Amino acid sequence: DAKTTQPTSMDCAEGRAANLPCNHSTISGNEYVYWYRQIHSQGPQYIIHGLKNNETNEMASLIITEDRKSSTLILPHATLRDTAVYYCIVGYSTLTFGKGTMLLVSP
Amino acid sequence: SQTIHQWPATLVQPVGSPLSLECTVEGTSNPNLYWYRQAAGRGLQLLFYSVGIGQISSEVPQNLSASRPQDRQFILSSKKLLLSDSGFYLCAWSNSGQWDRRAGELFFGEGSRLTVL
């Protein structure tokens, strides 16, 4: 059973921020929230993860709600190369990938 | 730096034939190793993971097996392939350590696309 819920697809204009939501209402106390993305025919790429606090790295920002039941991945300035399937996963080391969100960045 | 390689990249096999996919990691020691499969139009399914030599955990019952003969080598095998074994197979590694907060940062190989006819 999926532990996360994500929209099937989203659109974003190039240069704008892409905000990808994820619900994980059954997350347990020691589980992290991970985000990966997969460009067609390639292996998934790690983006970011967090436990309780918001996180930021060179790729994205992760906002986790205080109750940890949902999170948002933010790509601050989306480019065409950000078009991919984005996976939100909760877990520790053995991660189960769902179907993710297909993000289409358009010119 | 760490690298992961898996091969072959593409293969077409008849039903009932054996399978061997190999994955090796360089630049790290005692990694956690994983095999995932992605069927057409579906998400990634975790097949096997290993926390050490000879230690294999299977996530789903199936026609496949995995082995870890060396610290940085992970092999996916089948004695007789089924049509349903077709898919995109991905090997991945992560840092080990029960309390390593980076244990879920998986680094994936290039993938092996298997077509069973």
Side-chain angles (χ1 to χ4, degrees):
Chain A
D1 292 335
K3 299 175 74 173
T4 63
T5 303
Q6 299 177 254
T8 302
S9 63
M10 294 183 64
D11 296 324
C12 180
E14 187 178 21
R16 304 296 294 270
N19 297 287
L20 291 88
C22 180
N23 289 322
H24 32 80
S25 58
T26 60
I27 189 171
S28 62
N30 63 346
E31 289 183 318
Y32 288 85
V33 179
Y34 292 91
W35 283 85
Y36 284 77
R37 71 180 182 184
Q38 185 177 23
I39 296 171
H40 183 63
S41 296
Q42 297 182 20
Q45 177 190 24
Y46 165 82
I47 300 174
I48 198 167
H49 78 283
L51 185 63
K52 297 180 181 179
N53 300 321
N54 298 335
E55 302 285 346
T56 296
N57 63 20
E58 65 278 3
M59 293 183 66
S61 294
L62 173 61
I63 308 298
I64 303 174
T65 58
E66 190 170 348
D67 63 8
R68 302 208 324 126
K69 292 185 177 182
S70 65
S71 62
T72 301
L73 179 74
I74 301 172
L75 307 179
H77 305 285
T79 70
L80 299 179
R81 287 175 294 180
D82 291 324
T83 292
V85 177
Y86 287 77
Y87 298 98
C88 169
I89 308 157
V90 297
Y92 188 72
S93 60
T94 53
L95 304 183
T96 300
F97 289 70
K99 295 187 177 181
T101 296
M102 176 64 219
L103 175 68
L104 177 62
V105 181
S106 303
Chain B
S1 63
Q2 301 89 0
T3 57
I4 179 170
H5 301 285
Q6 59 176 112
W7 67 93
T10 305
L11 66 165
V12 180
Q13 295 285 100
V15 169
S17 64
L19 171 73
S20 181
L21 300 179
E22 189 164 343
C23 172
T24 59
V25 180
E26 297 177 358
T28 187
S29 61
N30 194 31
N32 293 335
L33 297 172
Y34 308 83
W35 278 111
Y36 282 85
R37 176 174 61 198
Q38 188 169 36
R42 303 183 66 178
L44 276 77
Q45 179 185 34
L46 177 61
L47 301 176
F48 301 95
Y49 70 93
S50 172
V51 299
I53 296 174
Q55 300 179 62
I56 309 294
S57 296
S58 174
E59 289 295 297
V60 292
Q62 59 208 317
N63 184 43
L64 304 168
S65 62
S67 62
R68 184 170 177 174
Q70 300 180 40
D71 181 45
R72 291 170 290 172
Q73 182 184 28
F74 207 24
I75 298 171
L76 184 69
S77 304
S78 174
K79 292 182 179 179
K80 292 185 177 182
L81 283 169
L82 306 172
L83 289 174
S84 57
D85 291 325
S86 294
F88 190 44
Y89 289 81
L90 289 153
C91 180
W93 73 274
S94 72
N95 290 296
S96 61
Q98 184 178 7
W99 305 113
D100 190 333
R101 74 178 302 272
R102 299 183 62 186
E105 288 183 42
L106 303 180
F107 300 92
F108 285 84
E110 305 92 342
S112 298
R113 191 165 299 280
L114 169 65
T115 302
V116 182
L117 301 176

